[in-house]
């Protein structure tokens, strides 16, 4: 589910239908078909919309005889708010014939709402770029897009594993600052903790983070779970949504200061960072 940039219209997507809801009029439009992929089942997992074009990430079902059951697929689309009819403009599929370990994944179970298949999408409308996180592949993809094209720019991963890309967010529309949420799992897929990787230069396959949160200077707020469900950004804040209802807002700090994440001495929801020199 997503909204237009002003939050006036909400859009929802499933493998069976799409809908739009206009808050000012209370109008709910439902399109009872998977218009993004009418002939092949497509399972949407994450979406973002810039007001004109949207990017949705999910899994496309393959032929029943294929070893790869579901293929990670990214779709550029437009949508009519009055009818909720979404139109596919361009799509990109993760190559199944590649030599990477990700290409060999069957993605069996992607249709069971297994959390390990969660994806994330974040559009930067100023740069006309989009981040797509595929945590089951431990990978984040960077695309550029226009009204009619969708082009893979680069990708970054953390090796064989799972969790990197649970969440993605742009820290600035005009700079190349991004945040990537990575979950830490045990070998039996027990979710134990989370980390946030921050990059401040154009993302490449060899990019190194300038910071990984939490750390010694920016520890985790003591009343907050170490398991993060999502990250959200505004022009001035990074918001962490944690398990057990925790919500922490990291405010931007001016030059010469940093955002202290120690938080208040009592439990607060939401809790806010403070500025320290």
């Amino acid at each position: 589910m997503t909204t237009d940039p002003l939050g006036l219209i909400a859009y929802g997507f499933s493998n069976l239908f799409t809908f739009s809801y206009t808050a000012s009029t209370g109008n709910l439009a439902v399109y009872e078909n998977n218009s993004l992929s009418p002939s092949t089942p497509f399972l949407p997992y994450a979406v973002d919309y810039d007001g004109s074009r949207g990017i949705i990430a999910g899994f496309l079902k393959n032929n029943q005889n294929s070893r790869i059951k579901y293929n990670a697929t990214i779709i550029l689309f437009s949508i009519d708010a009055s009818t909720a009819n979404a139109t596919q403009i361009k799509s990109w599929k993760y190559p199944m014939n590649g030599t990477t370990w990700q290409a060999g994944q069957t993605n069996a179970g992607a249709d069971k709402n297994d959390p390990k298949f969660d994806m994330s999408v974040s559009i930067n409308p100023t740069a006309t770029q989009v981040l797509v996180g595929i945590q089951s592949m431990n990978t984040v993809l960077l695309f550029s897009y226009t009204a009619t094209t969708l082009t893979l720019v680069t990708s970054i991963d953390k090796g064989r594993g799972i969790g990197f890309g649970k969440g993605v967010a742009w820290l600035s529309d005009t700079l190349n600052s991004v945040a990537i949420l990575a979950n830490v799992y045990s070998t039996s897929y027990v979710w134990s903790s989370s980390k946030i990787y921050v990059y401040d230069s154009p993302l490449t396959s060899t990019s190194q983070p300038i910071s990984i949160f939490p750390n010694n200077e920016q520890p985790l707020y003591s009343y907050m779970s170490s398991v993060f469900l999502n990250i959200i950004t505004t022009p001035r804040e990074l918001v962490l949504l944690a398990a057990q209802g925790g919500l922490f807002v990291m405010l931007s700090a001016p030059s010469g200061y940093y955002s202290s994440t120690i938080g208040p001495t009592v439990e607060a929801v939401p809790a806010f960072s403070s500025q320290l020199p």
Side-chain angles (χ1 to χ4, degrees):
M1 187 170 173
T2 188
T3 69
D4 69 336
L6 297 179
L8 302 178
I9 304 175
Y11 299 97
F13 301 82
S14 81
N15 61 323
L16 299 176
F17 64 88
T18 58
F19 74 83
S20 65
Y21 176 75
T22 304
S24 61
T25 63
N27 181 61
L28 175 66
V30 180
Y31 189 84
E32 296 181 357
N33 193 1
N34 189 343
S35 56
L36 290 172
S37 180
S39 60
T40 305
F42 174 71
L43 310 172
Y45 269 81
V47 63
D48 199 7
Y49 185 63
D50 72 2
S52 174
R53 295 291 184 265
I55 301 289
I56 191 165
F59 290 94
L60 192 69
K61 187 175 183 180
N62 285 324
N63 184 288
Q64 62 179 359
N65 296 323
S66 173
R67 190 184 70 83
I68 308 297
K69 302 305 179 185
Y70 291 91
N71 196 3
T73 302
I74 318 302
I75 295 174
L76 172 71
F77 69 91
S78 62
I79 188 167
D80 185 336
S82 63
T83 64
N85 184 11
T87 301
Q88 180 180 145
I89 299 171
K90 200 74 175 178
S91 67
W92 180 92
K93 300 177 184 178
Y94 198 95
M96 295 185 296
N97 58 351
T99 58
T100 65
W101 67 268
Q102 292 97 327
Q105 288 189 296
T106 67
N107 296 316
D111 59 333
K112 306 299 183 183
N113 293 319
D114 189 327
K116 75 177 182 180
F117 291 108
D118 283 352
M119 293 178 166
S120 54
V121 175
S122 181
I123 286 177
N124 180 336
T126 303
T128 59
Q129 291 188 326
V130 58
L131 294 165
V132 178
I134 309 177
Q135 72 158 358
S136 62
M137 295 182 174
N138 224 28
T139 297
V140 171
L141 308 169
L142 174 65
F143 292 88
S144 63
Y145 71 97
T146 67
T148 58
T149 64
L150 178 66
T151 305
L152 178 66
V153 176
T154 190
S155 66
I156 183 172
D157 67 67
K158 291 299 177 182
R160 185 179 291 273
I162 185 173
F164 187 72
K166 163 69 176 176
V168 291
W170 293 91
L171 298 178
S172 170
D173 280 352
T174 56
L175 302 175
N176 293 296
S177 301
V178 302
I180 298 175
L181 173 59
N183 289 337
V184 179
Y185 290 89
S186 69
T187 54
S188 56
Y189 299 118
V190 175
W191 187 0
S192 60
S193 64
S194 303
K195 297 179 180 179
I196 297 174
Y197 292 75
V198 177
Y199 301 84
D200 73 342
S201 59
L203 203 63
T204 70
S205 60
T206 58
S207 291
Q208 296 297 317
I210 61 167
S211 177
I212 301 176
F213 175 83
N215 54 61
N216 290 335
E217 288 189 353
Q218 292 180 304
L220 183 66
Y221 175 45
S222 60
Y223 292 97
M224 191 169 182
S225 168
S226 61
V227 173
F228 304 153
L229 303 179
N230 201 4
I231 53 176
I232 303 170
T233 55
T234 73
R236 297 185 60 83
E237 298 96 17
L238 173 64
V239 182
L240 314 181
L241 176 63
Q244 303 171 4
L247 190 66
F248 193 89
V249 182
M250 297 178 65
L251 303 171
S252 61
S255 178
Y257 290 77
Y258 77 98
S259 183
S260 171
T261 55
I262 294 175
T265 57
V266 296
E267 185 174 7
V269 180
F272 292 84
S273 66
S274 57
Q275 296 176 0
L276 293 179

